[in-house]
mmCIF file of all heavy atoms in Angstrom:
data_model
loop_
_atom_site.group_PDB
_atom_site.id
_atom_site.type_symbol
_atom_site.label_atom_id
_atom_site.label_comp_id
_atom_site.label_asym_id
_atom_site.label_seq_id
_atom_site.Cartn_x
_atom_site.Cartn_y
_atom_site.Cartn_z
ATOM 1 N N ILE E 1 231.576 144.985 -126.738
ATOM 2 C CA ILE E 1 232.070 145.869 -125.676
ATOM 3 C C ILE E 1 230.885 146.407 -124.860
ATOM 4 O O ILE E 1 229.919 146.919 -125.415
ATOM 5 C CB ILE E 1 232.894 147.029 -126.266
ATOM 6 C CG1 ILE E 1 234.241 146.505 -126.763
ATOM 7 C CG2 ILE E 1 233.097 148.144 -125.248
ATOM 8 C CD1 ILE E 1 235.070 147.529 -127.493
ATOM 9 N N GLY E 2 230.974 146.256 -123.544
ATOM 10 C CA GLY E 2 229.912 146.708 -122.649
ATOM 11 C C GLY E 2 228.844 145.671 -122.388
ATOM 12 O O GLY E 2 227.975 145.882 -121.537
ATOM 13 N N ASP E 3 228.890 144.518 -123.089
ATOM 14 C CA ASP E 3 227.874 143.470 -122.928
ATOM 15 C C ASP E 3 228.395 142.334 -122.047
ATOM 16 O O ASP E 3 229.600 142.162 -121.852
ATOM 17 C CB ASP E 3 227.470 142.897 -124.288
ATOM 18 C CG ASP E 3 226.734 143.911 -125.150
ATOM 19 O OD1 ASP E 3 226.222 144.887 -124.575
ATOM 20 O OD2 ASP E 3 226.686 143.724 -126.381
ATOM 21 N N ASP E 4 227.463 141.521 -121.552
ATOM 22 C CA ASP E 4 227.827 140.397 -120.684
ATOM 23 C C ASP E 4 228.698 139.362 -121.386
ATOM 24 O O ASP E 4 229.445 138.637 -120.726
ATOM 25 C CB ASP E 4 226.570 139.703 -120.160
ATOM 26 C CG ASP E 4 225.806 140.562 -119.167
ATOM 27 O OD1 ASP E 4 226.404 141.517 -118.644
ATOM 28 O OD2 ASP E 4 224.619 140.275 -118.920
ATOM 29 N N VAL E 5 228.590 139.259 -122.710
ATOM 30 C CA VAL E 5 229.325 138.219 -123.439
ATOM 31 C C VAL E 5 230.690 138.704 -123.919
ATOM 32 O O VAL E 5 231.354 137.999 -124.681
ATOM 33 C CB VAL E 5 228.510 137.727 -124.653
ATOM 34 C CG1 VAL E 5 227.210 137.094 -124.194
ATOM 35 C CG2 VAL E 5 228.249 138.868 -125.638
ATOM 36 N N PHE E 6 231.130 139.860 -123.461
ATOM 37 C CA PHE E 6 232.369 140.420 -123.991
ATOM 38 C C PHE E 6 233.551 139.465 -123.809
ATOM 39 O O PHE E 6 234.314 139.224 -124.752
ATOM 40 C CB PHE E 6 232.694 141.755 -123.317
ATOM 41 C CG PHE E 6 234.072 142.271 -123.653
ATOM 42 C CD1 PHE E 6 234.338 142.802 -124.914
ATOM 43 C CD2 PHE E 6 235.106 142.188 -122.733
ATOM 44 C CE1 PHE E 6 235.610 143.246 -125.240
ATOM 45 C CE2 PHE E 6 236.374 142.641 -123.051
ATOM 46 C CZ PHE E 6 236.628 143.170 -124.308
ATOM 47 N N TYR E 7 233.728 138.916 -122.612
ATOM 48 C CA TYR E 7 234.900 138.066 -122.382
ATOM 49 C C TYR E 7 234.767 136.714 -123.082
ATOM 50 O O TYR E 7 235.778 136.092 -123.426
ATOM 51 C CB TYR E 7 235.158 137.903 -120.888
ATOM 52 C CG TYR E 7 235.659 139.191 -120.269
ATOM 53 C CD1 TYR E 7 234.820 139.986 -119.493
ATOM 54 C CD2 TYR E 7 236.960 139.634 -120.500
ATOM 55 C CE1 TYR E 7 235.274 141.181 -118.952
ATOM 56 C CE2 TYR E 7 237.415 140.834 -119.964
ATOM 57 C CZ TYR E 7 236.567 141.598 -119.195
ATOM 58 O OH TYR E 7 237.011 142.788 -118.669
ATOM 59 N N ASP E 8 233.539 136.267 -123.328
ATOM 60 C CA ASP E 8 233.363 135.094 -124.185
ATOM 61 C C ASP E 8 233.939 135.382 -125.570
ATOM 62 O O ASP E 8 234.580 134.522 -126.185
ATOM 63 C CB ASP E 8 231.882 134.738 -124.314
ATOM 64 C CG ASP E 8 231.245 134.363 -122.986
ATOM 65 O OD1 ASP E 8 230.853 135.280 -122.246
ATOM 66 O OD2 ASP E 8 231.145 133.161 -122.703
ATOM 67 N N ARG E 9 233.711 136.600 -126.041
ATOM 68 C CA ARG E 9 234.213 136.989 -127.362
ATOM 69 C C ARG E 9 235.740 137.117 -127.363
ATOM 70 O O ARG E 9 236.402 136.778 -128.351
ATOM 71 C CB ARG E 9 233.573 138.303 -127.805
ATOM 72 C CG ARG E 9 232.059 138.228 -127.976
ATOM 73 C CD ARG E 9 231.684 137.319 -129.124
ATOM 74 N NE ARG E 9 230.232 137.194 -129.246
ATOM 75 C CZ ARG E 9 229.532 136.147 -128.795
ATOM 76 N NH1 ARG E 9 230.158 135.135 -128.223
ATOM 77 N NH2 ARG E 9 228.225 136.118 -128.927
ATOM 78 N N LEU E 10 236.314 137.591 -126.245
ATOM 79 C CA LEU E 10 237.777 137.653 -126.182
ATOM 80 C C LEU E 10 238.379 136.251 -126.239
ATOM 81 O O LEU E 10 239.440 136.043 -126.844
ATOM 82 C CB LEU E 10 238.234 138.351 -124.904
ATOM 83 C CG LEU E 10 238.330 139.872 -124.891
ATOM 84 C CD1 LEU E 10 239.132 140.337 -123.682
ATOM 85 C CD2 LEU E 10 238.936 140.438 -126.178
ATOM 86 N N LEU E 11 237.705 135.297 -125.619
ATOM 87 C CA LEU E 11 238.188 133.921 -125.694
ATOM 88 C C LEU E 11 238.103 133.381 -127.113
ATOM 89 O O LEU E 11 238.922 132.557 -127.525
ATOM 90 C CB LEU E 11 237.381 133.039 -124.732
ATOM 91 C CG LEU E 11 237.641 133.295 -123.238
ATOM 92 C CD1 LEU E 11 236.648 132.520 -122.381
ATOM 93 C CD2 LEU E 11 239.068 132.923 -122.863
ATOM 94 N N GLU E 12 237.130 133.853 -127.873
ATOM 95 C CA GLU E 12 237.054 133.468 -129.283
ATOM 96 C C GLU E 12 238.272 133.983 -130.049
ATOM 97 O O GLU E 12 238.769 133.321 -130.964
ATOM 98 C CB GLU E 12 235.777 134.019 -129.915
ATOM 99 C CG GLU E 12 234.505 133.334 -129.451
ATOM 100 C CD GLU E 12 233.270 133.916 -130.123
ATOM 101 O OE1 GLU E 12 233.393 134.937 -130.838
ATOM 102 O OE2 GLU E 12 232.172 133.357 -129.937
ATOM 103 N N VAL E 13 238.746 135.167 -129.662
ATOM 104 C CA VAL E 13 239.948 135.709 -130.311
ATOM 105 C C VAL E 13 241.133 134.782 -130.053
ATOM 106 O O VAL E 13 241.895 134.452 -130.966
ATOM 107 C CB VAL E 13 240.261 137.128 -129.789
ATOM 108 C CG1 VAL E 13 241.581 137.630 -130.382
ATOM 109 C CG2 VAL E 13 239.134 138.089 -130.130
ATOM 110 N N ILE E 14 241.300 134.334 -128.798
ATOM 111 C CA ILE E 14 242.379 133.407 -128.472
ATOM 112 C C ILE E 14 242.225 132.106 -129.258
ATOM 113 O O ILE E 14 243.194 131.555 -129.782
ATOM 114 C CB ILE E 14 242.395 133.097 -126.961
ATOM 115 C CG1 ILE E 14 242.615 134.370 -126.145
ATOM 116 C CG2 ILE E 14 243.471 132.070 -126.645
ATOM 117 C CD1 ILE E 14 243.978 134.974 -126.298
ATOM 118 N N ALA E 15 240.973 131.636 -129.371
ATOM 119 C CA ALA E 15 240.716 130.381 -130.091
ATOM 120 C C ALA E 15 241.063 130.487 -131.564
ATOM 121 O O ALA E 15 241.357 129.484 -132.211
ATOM 122 C CB ALA E 15 239.258 129.971 -129.906
ATOM 123 N N SER E 16 241.017 131.698 -132.103
ATOM 124 C CA SER E 16 241.368 131.873 -133.513
ATOM 125 C C SER E 16 242.877 131.847 -133.725
ATOM 126 O O SER E 16 243.339 131.749 -134.865
ATOM 127 C CB SER E 16 240.805 133.206 -134.028
ATOM 128 O OG SER E 16 241.552 134.314 -133.534
ATOM 129 N N LEU E 17 243.642 131.905 -132.629
ATOM 130 C CA LEU E 17 245.100 132.002 -132.732
ATOM 131 C C LEU E 17 245.816 130.690 -132.475
ATOM 132 O O LEU E 17 246.841 130.410 -133.090
ATOM 133 C CB LEU E 17 245.619 133.055 -131.746
ATOM 134 C CG LEU E 17 245.136 134.484 -131.961
ATOM 135 C CD1 LEU E 17 245.608 135.375 -130.819
ATOM 136 C CD2 LEU E 17 245.642 135.017 -133.300
ATOM 137 N N VAL E 18 245.313 129.881 -131.514
ATOM 138 C CA VAL E 18 245.987 128.631 -131.164
ATOM 139 C C VAL E 18 244.966 127.513 -131.011
ATOM 140 O O VAL E 18 243.809 127.749 -130.666
ATOM 141 C CB VAL E 18 246.788 128.763 -129.844
ATOM 142 C CG1 VAL E 18 247.905 129.785 -129.990
ATOM 143 C CG2 VAL E 18 245.876 129.113 -128.681
ATOM 144 N N GLU E 19 245.420 126.294 -131.259
ATOM 145 C CA GLU E 19 244.561 125.125 -131.040
ATOM 146 C C GLU E 19 244.638 124.749 -129.569
ATOM 147 O O GLU E 19 245.728 124.638 -128.996
ATOM 148 C CB GLU E 19 245.030 123.955 -131.894
ATOM 149 C CG GLU E 19 244.170 122.712 -131.733
ATOM 150 C CD GLU E 19 244.643 121.565 -132.596
ATOM 151 O OE1 GLU E 19 245.527 121.794 -133.451
ATOM 152 O OE2 GLU E 19 244.135 120.448 -132.401
ATOM 153 N N ALA E 20 243.497 124.563 -128.929
ATOM 154 C CA ALA E 20 243.463 124.231 -127.506
ATOM 155 C C ALA E 20 242.241 123.386 -127.210
ATOM 156 O O ALA E 20 241.374 123.193 -128.065
ATOM 157 C CB ALA E 20 243.460 125.499 -126.667
ATOM 158 N N ASP E 21 242.182 122.870 -125.977
ATOM 159 C CA ASP E 21 241.103 121.980 -125.577
ATOM 160 C C ASP E 21 240.052 122.645 -124.700
ATOM 161 O O ASP E 21 238.950 122.118 -124.549
ATOM 162 C CB ASP E 21 241.679 120.777 -124.828
ATOM 163 C CG ASP E 21 242.595 119.958 -125.721
ATOM 164 O OD1 ASP E 21 242.178 119.666 -126.857
ATOM 165 O OD2 ASP E 21 243.712 119.621 -125.304
ATOM 166 N N ALA E 22 240.377 123.757 -124.085
ATOM 167 C CA ALA E 22 239.407 124.458 -123.248
ATOM 168 C C ALA E 22 239.829 125.906 -123.089
ATOM 169 O O ALA E 22 241.026 126.230 -123.129
ATOM 170 C CB ALA E 22 239.283 123.797 -121.878
ATOM 171 N N PHE E 23 238.839 126.775 -122.939
ATOM 172 C CA PHE E 23 239.072 128.210 -122.785
ATOM 173 C C PHE E 23 238.253 128.700 -121.596
ATOM 174 O O PHE E 23 237.121 128.274 -121.403
ATOM 175 C CB PHE E 23 238.650 128.979 -124.052
ATOM 176 C CG PHE E 23 239.374 128.535 -125.291
ATOM 177 C CD1 PHE E 23 238.928 127.436 -126.016
ATOM 178 C CD2 PHE E 23 240.483 129.209 -125.728
ATOM 179 C CE1 PHE E 23 239.591 127.022 -127.149
ATOM 180 C CE2 PHE E 23 241.157 128.809 -126.871
ATOM 181 C CZ PHE E 23 240.707 127.709 -127.584
ATOM 182 N N SER E 24 238.837 129.571 -120.793
ATOM 183 C CA SER E 24 238.113 130.034 -119.610
ATOM 184 C C SER E 24 238.597 131.411 -119.199
ATOM 185 O O SER E 24 239.608 131.917 -119.689
ATOM 186 C CB SER E 24 238.289 129.041 -118.454
ATOM 187 O OG SER E 24 239.655 128.743 -118.262
ATOM 188 N N LEU E 25 237.837 132.027 -118.295
ATOM 189 C CA LEU E 25 238.183 133.327 -117.741
ATOM 190 C C LEU E 25 238.241 133.187 -116.234
ATOM 191 O O LEU E 25 237.277 132.744 -115.602
ATOM 192 C CB LEU E 25 237.142 134.385 -118.124
ATOM 193 C CG LEU E 25 237.400 135.780 -117.552
ATOM 194 C CD1 LEU E 25 238.576 136.454 -118.253
ATOM 195 C CD2 LEU E 25 236.153 136.647 -117.672
ATOM 196 N N VAL E 26 239.386 133.539 -115.646
ATOM 197 C CA VAL E 26 239.594 133.456 -114.207
ATOM 198 C C VAL E 26 239.968 134.836 -113.699
ATOM 199 O O VAL E 26 240.768 135.547 -114.319
ATOM 200 C CB VAL E 26 240.716 132.465 -113.844
ATOM 201 C CG1 VAL E 26 240.868 132.347 -112.335
ATOM 202 C CG2 VAL E 26 240.443 131.112 -114.455
ATOM 203 N N ARG E 27 239.392 135.202 -112.591
ATOM 204 C CA ARG E 27 239.727 136.482 -111.970
ATOM 205 C C ARG E 27 240.751 136.225 -110.877
ATOM 206 O O ARG E 27 240.453 135.686 -109.826
ATOM 207 C CB ARG E 27 238.470 137.117 -111.373
ATOM 208 C CG ARG E 27 238.695 138.443 -110.697
ATOM 209 C CD ARG E 27 237.371 138.939 -110.129
ATOM 210 N NE ARG E 27 237.559 140.135 -109.342
ATOM 211 C CZ ARG E 27 237.962 140.131 -108.068
ATOM 212 N NH1 ARG E 27 238.223 138.982 -107.476
ATOM 213 N NH2 ARG E 27 238.123 141.255 -107.410
ATOM 214 N N TYR E 28 242.021 136.579 -111.162
ATOM 215 C CA TYR E 28 243.094 136.421 -110.189
ATOM 216 C C TYR E 28 243.235 137.712 -109.398
ATOM 217 O O TYR E 28 243.424 138.788 -109.972
ATOM 218 C CB TYR E 28 244.415 136.078 -110.871
ATOM 219 C CG TYR E 28 244.496 134.628 -111.291
ATOM 220 C CD1 TYR E 28 244.393 134.259 -112.633
ATOM 221 C CD2 TYR E 28 244.676 133.621 -110.342
ATOM 222 C CE1 TYR E 28 244.468 132.925 -113.013
ATOM 223 C CE2 TYR E 28 244.744 132.293 -110.719
ATOM 224 C CZ TYR E 28 244.648 131.948 -112.042
ATOM 225 O OH TYR E 28 244.710 130.631 -112.405
ATOM 226 N N SER E 29 243.170 137.596 -108.067
ATOM 227 C CA SER E 29 243.188 138.755 -107.188
ATOM 228 C C SER E 29 244.480 138.815 -106.393
ATOM 229 O O SER E 29 245.052 137.780 -106.040
ATOM 230 C CB SER E 29 241.996 138.707 -106.225
ATOM 231 O OG SER E 29 242.115 139.687 -105.227
ATOM 232 N N SER E 30 244.928 140.028 -106.097
ATOM 233 C CA SER E 30 246.110 140.202 -105.260
ATOM 234 C C SER E 30 245.779 140.026 -103.787
ATOM 235 O O SER E 30 246.686 139.937 -102.959
ATOM 236 C CB SER E 30 246.715 141.591 -105.488
ATOM 237 O OG SER E 30 245.765 142.601 -105.181
ATOM 238 N N SER E 31 244.489 139.974 -103.444
ATOM 239 C CA SER E 31 244.083 139.925 -102.040
ATOM 240 C C SER E 31 243.321 138.668 -101.647
ATOM 241 O O SER E 31 243.246 138.351 -100.466
ATOM 242 C CB SER E 31 243.210 141.139 -101.710
ATOM 243 O OG SER E 31 243.879 142.346 -101.976
ATOM 244 N N GLY E 32 242.738 137.957 -102.597
ATOM 245 C CA GLY E 32 241.911 136.813 -102.251
ATOM 246 C C GLY E 32 242.137 135.637 -103.175
ATOM 247 O O GLY E 32 243.078 135.613 -103.976
ATOM 248 N N ALA E 33 241.274 134.639 -103.052
ATOM 249 C CA ALA E 33 241.358 133.438 -103.873
ATOM 250 C C ALA E 33 240.873 133.724 -105.289
ATOM 251 O O ALA E 33 240.109 134.659 -105.517
ATOM 252 C CB ALA E 33 240.527 132.332 -103.245
ATOM 253 N N PRO E 34 241.300 132.918 -106.270
ATOM 254 C CA PRO E 34 240.821 133.094 -107.647
ATOM 255 C C PRO E 34 239.329 132.819 -107.762
ATOM 256 O O PRO E 34 238.755 132.088 -106.962
ATOM 257 C CB PRO E 34 241.631 132.053 -108.437
ATOM 258 C CG PRO E 34 242.809 131.743 -107.583
ATOM 259 C CD PRO E 34 242.319 131.861 -106.166
ATOM 260 N N ASP E 35 238.709 133.416 -108.787
ATOM 261 C CA ASP E 35 237.284 133.226 -109.053
ATOM 262 C C ASP E 35 237.080 132.773 -110.486
ATOM 263 O O ASP E 35 237.687 133.305 -111.412
ATOM 264 C CB ASP E 35 236.500 134.522 -108.861
ATOM 265 C CG ASP E 35 236.337 134.881 -107.402
ATOM 266 O OD1 ASP E 35 235.844 134.034 -106.637
ATOM 267 O OD2 ASP E 35 236.711 136.000 -107.022
ATOM 268 N N LEU E 36 236.193 131.798 -110.657
ATOM 269 C CA LEU E 36 235.764 131.392 -111.985
ATOM 270 C C LEU E 36 234.739 132.385 -112.518
ATOM 271 O O LEU E 36 233.799 132.737 -111.818
ATOM 272 C CB LEU E 36 235.133 130.004 -111.927
ATOM 273 C CG LEU E 36 234.414 129.563 -113.199
ATOM 274 C CD1 LEU E 36 235.405 129.203 -114.275
ATOM 275 C CD2 LEU E 36 233.491 128.400 -112.898
ATOM 276 N N ILE E 37 234.922 132.839 -113.729
ATOM 277 C CA ILE E 37 233.929 133.689 -114.386
ATOM 278 C C ILE E 37 233.301 132.924 -115.552
ATOM 279 O O ILE E 37 232.087 132.861 -115.701
ATOM 280 C CB ILE E 37 234.556 135.000 -114.898
ATOM 281 C CG1 ILE E 37 235.327 135.705 -113.776
ATOM 282 C CG2 ILE E 37 233.473 135.914 -115.458
ATOM 283 C CD1 ILE E 37 234.494 136.079 -112.583
#
């Protein structure tokens, strides 16, 4: 919490729950285009 790798760690939580082929973080905005994080 508070570190740059926080959302990488949240993706690890998802990975511990389901089997998948890729994990990512996308910033979806109500005003603009999506952003890759």
Side-chain angles (χ1 to χ4, degrees):
I1 288 174
D3 293 340
D4 291 342
V5 298
F6 170 74
Y7 290 104
D8 298 83
R9 297 293 177 259
L10 275 195
L11 290 172
E12 289 181 353
V13 175
I14 299 292
S16 74
L17 298 174
V18 297
E19 181 180 350
D21 297 312
F23 301 84
S24 51
L25 178 72
V26 183
R27 180 181 174 278
Y28 282 107
S29 170
S30 59
S31 302
D35 286 306
L36 169 74
I37 308 300

